[in-house]
Amino acid sequence: MSFHKQPKDDTQHQNHLDGAVKILTSDLQEEATRSGLDNHFQRWIEDLKDVNNPELHQIVTDLQALKAHFGGGTIDKNLVSQLLSRLGANTSKAAVFADNPNTAERVANLGEALSAAAKQVQSPQTTPEQDLSQDSNR
């Protein structure tokens, strides 16, 4: 008996893209500790492989590296920032490959979220309370 994998439709791809943006715009440190992050990476990798476009190879490679790094325990913020930054740039460029305009828009949004996440990892934002506390210590 053979198993034929049903191809995903655009709605499923768009849901995966929306989920990835949601993760990237939340607290990445907290998301890294959650068990579902690995599944998000895997779905994203599979979606890209399903497209079967050699232009997306670097994105797949970087996602696999990011997935492996997050699965390793200690997080090297310089490496994560570098991977997220490159993923952001390459994902933004990849939006042109989407056939559906709604999917293309979501891919572009994901590219922006990846680039923003790279900056967040490199220099995390402080809360107003932390800023006031730091100011009063000077």
Side-chain angles (χ1 to χ4, degrees), residues 104-129:
E105 180 182 349
R106 284 174 167 87
V107 172
N109 290 343
L110 179 57
E112 291 173 17
L114 285 161
S115 296
K119 292 175 186 161
Q120 178 192 351
V121 168
Q122 197 58 40
S123 56
Q125 299 291 323
T126 57
T127 66
E129 291 79 17

Side-chain angles (χ1 to χ4, degrees), residues 25 30 33 51 54-58 60 62 64 66 73 75 79 82 90 94-95 97 99 104 110-113 115 129:
T25 55
E30 183 179 322
T33 63
V51 174
E55 295 287 328
L56 304 177
H57 176 72
Q58 186 63 53
V60 171
D62 286 344
Q64 289 170 331
L66 198 58
I75 295 177
L79 174 64
Q82 177 186 9
N90 289 334
F97 297 119
D99 294 330
L110 179 57
E112 291 173 17
S115 296
E129 291 79 17

Side-chain angles (χ1 to χ4, degrees), residues 78-94:
N78 290 329
L79 174 64
V80 170
S81 179
Q82 177 186 9
L83 288 169
L84 289 172
S85 181
R86 190 165 57 212
L87 280 164
N90 289 334
T91 300
S92 293
K93 291 176 193 172

Side-chain angles (χ1 to χ4, degrees), residues 5-17:
K5 188 170 137 182
Q6 288 285 71
K8 293 180 182 131
D9 64 16
D10 278 340
T11 303
Q12 288 170 304
H13 290 296
Q14 291 169 13
N15 286 336
H16 291 171
L17 291 165

